[in-house]
């Protein structure tokens, strides 16, 4: 996923509340943000390969169209590794799911999870990145932390010991952006220099050597850098002047310098200006320009460059006819773009459904991913894809408040979305009732659920097996039993005693209790006792 350089035009669909600024890249997936920033939030959707549960939907079924990660809630950033995924919540907490053989979920165990679990990074994180089997997190204080696979020193803690809880990268401070390759890591300091650690067999750390590094070393000669991206064996840097520099393996022209010569230190990418975001796939590279177009170069055997051919490109070439692009991502052999209208487009390898177009067909030019119309971020794992979507679905109906003659307009109701057939609450919405008990709330979930509704002195009632579709849902019209004076969702002796304490009162009386005015006539009298008696012993849904 990418976000803009300071001063550039960013995602213009920012309607509500996820990710701050400074994007970057992988060969897998990564998101980098400006330290301390906070931005738009949304629901997370995933598609493609689902081995080890990397899509987070509770199954291991591959998906050729996006599915929502319901249990995650809203997030501000996502990233994908080879067999795991990671998300950043707006409270600064990091959640992860999928394979955990090397501790890449960061929860202190080695157990995989088909649904998101909280890492021990529970606060203050502003950026995340995912490598093949490890993760990085950037905290608001400018420090970097890593966990998971560490054979090549990619966690940067001076060892090659795998970690199932985060450890701090040594010797790094004042970091503003991070990125992961499969087994290497990059970071940008606030002074514009680039630092790298981990695997370096093709010079992907940019220090002029081919020596793996267990702690950070400086990339040679780079200054003024704002963002970094890491592919399989090559790396990219975006300078604040809008130019791009590259280093490492160049067998397929992924450095974009017009040659196939590997470079152990950074060289400029040919002919690129006005770039605001970069991404790196397995052996290809992407750049988003400030005019909303995308350039691509490197390996093209799977259509990674989206130019309608399978010809490798040694210099940047237009990425199809893409325009109005606000975010890009690069997987192993596929690319993603989110456009300003909220649609997602994908191209390249599709053997596991990672393009999300409902097929398994390789695409040589961009095709639209199904069902996503409000996306503002995209991220790519090796063979799976992720998006954050700012989408809500209206759910409406009208409650009938039994044994009540007062006005309903202005009363409040609590609406729960529950897993169908259970009492597990997935979302809660508080609404104002209108005339005749009408209400609307906005779900971020689609699917079939139970809706349970309660208002003040009425017992909670349930509408079972309601399907919330892409147009929302209507007809949520339950009848609520009266008599729950103390609001605990059951009518018992405690309600009788509370009603008795208010007996004979009216508004302004010292013992007035509006919840004891069961019939809404602004007087606590024998009629209210009769209503309570009808529901005595009842418990709400």
């Amino acid at each position: 996923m990418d976000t803009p350089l300071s001063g550039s035009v960013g995602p213009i669909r920012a309607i509500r509340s996820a990710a701050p600024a400074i994007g970057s890249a992988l060969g897998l997936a990564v998101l980098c943000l400006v330290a301390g920033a906070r931005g738009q939030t949304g629901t997370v959707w995933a598609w493609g390969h689902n081995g080890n549960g990397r899509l987070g939907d509770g199954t291991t079924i591959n998906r050729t169209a996006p599915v929502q990660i319901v249990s995650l809630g809203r997030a501000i950033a996502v990233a994908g590794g080879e067999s795991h995924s990671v998300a950043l919540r707006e409270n600064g907490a990091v959640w992860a799911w999928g394979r955990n053989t090397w501790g890449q979920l960061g929860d202190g165990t080695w157990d995989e999870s088909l649904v998101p679990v909280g890492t021990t990074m529970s606060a203050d994180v502003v950026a995340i990145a995912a490598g093949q089997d490890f993760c990085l997190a950037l905290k608001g204080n400018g420090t970097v932390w890593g966990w998971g696979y560490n054979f090549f020193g990619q966690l940067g803690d001076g060892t090659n010991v795998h970690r199932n809880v985060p450890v701090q990268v040594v010797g790094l401070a004042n970091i503003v952006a991070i990125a992961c390759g499969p087994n290497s890591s990059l970071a940008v300091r606030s002074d514009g220099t680039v630092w790298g650690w981990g695997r370096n067999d093709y010079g992907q750390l940019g220090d002029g050597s081919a020596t793996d590094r267990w702690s950070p070393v400086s990339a040679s000669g780079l200054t003024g850098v704002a963002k970094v991206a890491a592919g399989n064996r090559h790396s990219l840097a975006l300078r604040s002047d809008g130019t791009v520099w590259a280093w490492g393996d160049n067998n397929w022209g992924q450095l974009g310098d017009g040659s196939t010569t590997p470079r152990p230190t950074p060289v400029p990418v040919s002919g690129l200006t006005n770039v605001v975001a970069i991404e790196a796939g397995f052996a290809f590279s992407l750049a988003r320009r400030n005019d909303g177009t995308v350039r691509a170069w490197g390996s093209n055997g799977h259509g990674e460059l989206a130019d309608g051919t399978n010809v490798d490109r040694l210099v940047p070439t237009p990425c199809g006819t893409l325009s109005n692009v606000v975010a890009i991502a690069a997987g192993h052999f596929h690319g993603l773009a989110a456009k300003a209208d909220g649609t997602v487009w994908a191209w390249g390898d599709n053997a596991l459904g990672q393009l999300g177009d409902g097929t398994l067909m390789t695409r040589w030019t961009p095709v639209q991913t199904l069902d996503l119309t409000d996306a503002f971020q995209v991220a790519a794992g090796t063979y799976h894809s992720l998006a954050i979507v700012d989408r809500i679905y209206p759910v409406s109906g009208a409650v009938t408040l039994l044994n009540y003659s007062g006005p309903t307009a202005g009363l409040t109701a609590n609406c729960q979305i529950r897993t169908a057939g259970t009492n597990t609450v997935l979302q809660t919405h508080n609404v104002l009732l209108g005339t005749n008990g009408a209400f609307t709330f906005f779900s971020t979930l689609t699917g079939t659920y139970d809706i349970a509704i309660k208002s003040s002195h009425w017992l909670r009632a349930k509408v079972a097996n309601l399907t919330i579709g892409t147009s929302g849902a209507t007809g949520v019209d339950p009848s609520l039993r009266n008599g729950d004076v103390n609001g605990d969702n059951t009518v018992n002796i405690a309600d009788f005693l509370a009603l008795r304490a208010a007996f004979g009162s009216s508004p302004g009386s010292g013992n007035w209790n509006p919840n004891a005015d069961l019939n809404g006539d602004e007087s606590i009298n024998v009629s209210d006792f009769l209503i309570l008696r009808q529901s005595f012993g009842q418990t709400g849904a």
Side-chain angles (χ1 to χ4, degrees):
M1 176 276 164
D2 76 75
T3 45
L5 286 172
S6 177
S8 67
V9 176
I12 63 175
R13 291 186 61 81
I15 303 168
R16 281 177 198 80
S17 9
I22 280 207
S24 210
L26 32 192
L28 302 162
V30 54
L31 170 67
C32 307
L33 316 176
V34 171
R38 279 291 183 265
Q40 192 175 359
T41 71
T43 56
V44 179
W45 297 67
W47 60 99
H49 191 20
N50 201 17
N52 305 101
R54 70 197 74 181
L55 301 187
D57 67 344
T59 78
T60 57
I61 300 169
N62 295 344
R63 306 290 185 175
T64 60
V67 292
Q68 186 179 351
I69 306 175
V70 173
S71 63
L72 182 62
R74 297 178 75 84
I76 67 171
V78 286
E82 180 177 66
S83 303
H84 74 292
S85 303
V86 61
L88 175 60
R89 303 285 299 275
E90 64 179 331
N91 63 356
V94 179
W95 289 64
W97 56 97
R99 189 182 185 193
N100 200 26
T101 304
W102 309 104
Q104 57 263 54
L105 301 191
D107 65 346
T109 77
W110 309 98
D111 303 325
E112 73 176 33
S113 179
L114 306 186
V115 295
V117 294
T119 73
T120 60
M121 301 291 286
S122 58
D124 302 323
V125 175
V126 296
I128 53 174
Q132 181 170 308
D133 293 304
F134 74 103
C135 294
L136 294 179
L138 171 61
K139 299 190 74 172
N141 62 6
T143 60
V144 179
W145 297 69
W147 61 96
Y149 189 66
N150 198 26
F151 182 82
F152 298 99
Q154 55 264 56
L155 303 188
D157 66 343
T159 78
N160 67 345
V161 177
H162 312 312
R163 308 286 187 176
N164 63 6
V165 293
V167 293
Q168 187 172 349
V169 177
V170 298
L172 280 185
N174 302 314
I175 299 302
V176 296
I178 53 175
C180 295
N183 293 296
S184 62
S185 302
L186 297 173
V188 180
R189 270 194 356 192
S190 58
D191 62 3
T193 58
V194 175
W195 296 74
W197 59 99
R199 191 168 189 173
N200 196 29
D201 52 340
Y202 281 80
Q204 54 264 53
L205 302 187
D207 66 343
S209 80
T211 304
D212 296 345
R213 305 291 186 177
W214 293 3
S215 58
V217 294
S218 178
S220 177
L222 273 180
T223 59
V225 172
K227 301 181 182 183
V228 283
N232 183 45
R233 300 185 304 205
H234 76 291
S235 301
L236 303 173
L238 171 58
R239 296 184 63 187
S240 55
D241 62 3
T243 62
V244 179
W245 293 65
W247 60 98
D249 185 25
N250 199 24
N251 279 345
W252 292 272
Q254 60 262 51
L255 302 189
D257 66 345
S259 79
T260 56
T261 303
R263 307 289 185 178
T265 57
V267 295
V269 175
S270 177
L272 269 184
T273 59
N274 300 317
V275 174
V276 295
I278 50 175
E279 292 285 335
F282 179 82
F284 71 102
S285 305
L286 300 176
R288 179 171 66 90
R289 302 183 69 216
N290 62 2
D291 62 359
T293 61
V294 179
R295 298 293 187 268
W297 60 98
S299 175
N300 200 23
H302 299 271
E304 297 98 311
L305 309 188
D307 65 351
T309 78
N310 64 353
V311 178
D312 299 341
R313 305 291 182 177
L314 307 186
V315 295
T317 187
C319 193
T321 58
L322 284 173
S323 61
N324 299 316
V325 172
V326 297
I328 54 175
H332 216 52
F333 303 121
H334 75 288
L336 301 170
K339 299 183 72 171
D341 63 2
T343 59
V344 173
W345 296 74
W347 59 94
D349 180 35
N350 196 26
L352 294 162
Q354 58 264 47
L355 304 190
D357 68 340
T359 79
L360 300 176
M361 295 173 58
T362 295
R363 302 293 188 174
W364 306 96
T365 56
V367 294
Q368 188 172 347
T369 297
L370 298 175
D371 301 330
L372 296 181
T373 56
D374 298 280
F376 58 89
Q377 285 187 31
V378 285
T382 303
Y383 300 112
H384 72 288
S385 303
L386 301 146
I388 301 184
V389 174
D390 189 12
R391 179 187 293 176
I392 54 177
Y393 311 96
V395 177
S396 61
V399 297
T400 298
L401 303 177
L402 297 175
N403 302 118
Y404 182 72
S405 59
T408 61
L411 294 177
T412 61
N414 175 267
C415 305
Q416 297 177 345
I417 301 178
R418 298 177 177 178
T419 302
T422 78
N423 291 323
T424 302
V425 178
L426 301 175
Q427 287 186 0
T428 298
H429 301 269
N430 293 314
V431 299
L432 281 176
L433 299 181
T435 303
N436 298 321
F439 68 91
T440 298
F441 65 85
F442 294 92
S443 169
T444 60
L445 305 176
T446 59
T448 300
Y449 305 98
D450 293 344
I451 309 297
I453 301 176
K454 176 174 173 49
S455 183
S456 60
H457 51 78
W458 289 272
L459 295 173
R460 191 177 296 276
K462 181 173 69 175
V463 176
N465 297 314
L466 180 80
T467 297
I468 303 174
T470 55
S471 298
T474 59
V476 185
D477 305 320
S479 296
L480 277 60
R481 295 183 66 92
N482 209 338
D484 183 19
V485 179
N486 65 3
D488 66 355
N489 205 34
T490 186
V491 180
N492 54 28
I493 190 64
D495 300 293
F496 174 82
L497 295 174
L499 183 57
R500 188 175 70 175
F503 190 77
S505 66
S506 58
S509 301
N511 62 334
W512 169 250
N513 179 355
N515 280 345
D517 182 20
L518 300 183
N519 63 5
D521 66 355
E522 298 192 335
S523 175
I524 312 300
N525 53 42
V526 69
S527 296
D528 301 298
F529 276 100
L530 294 175
I531 292 170
L532 187 147
R533 188 174 68 176
Q534 291 180 32
S535 299
F536 196 81
Q538 299 290 315
T539 298

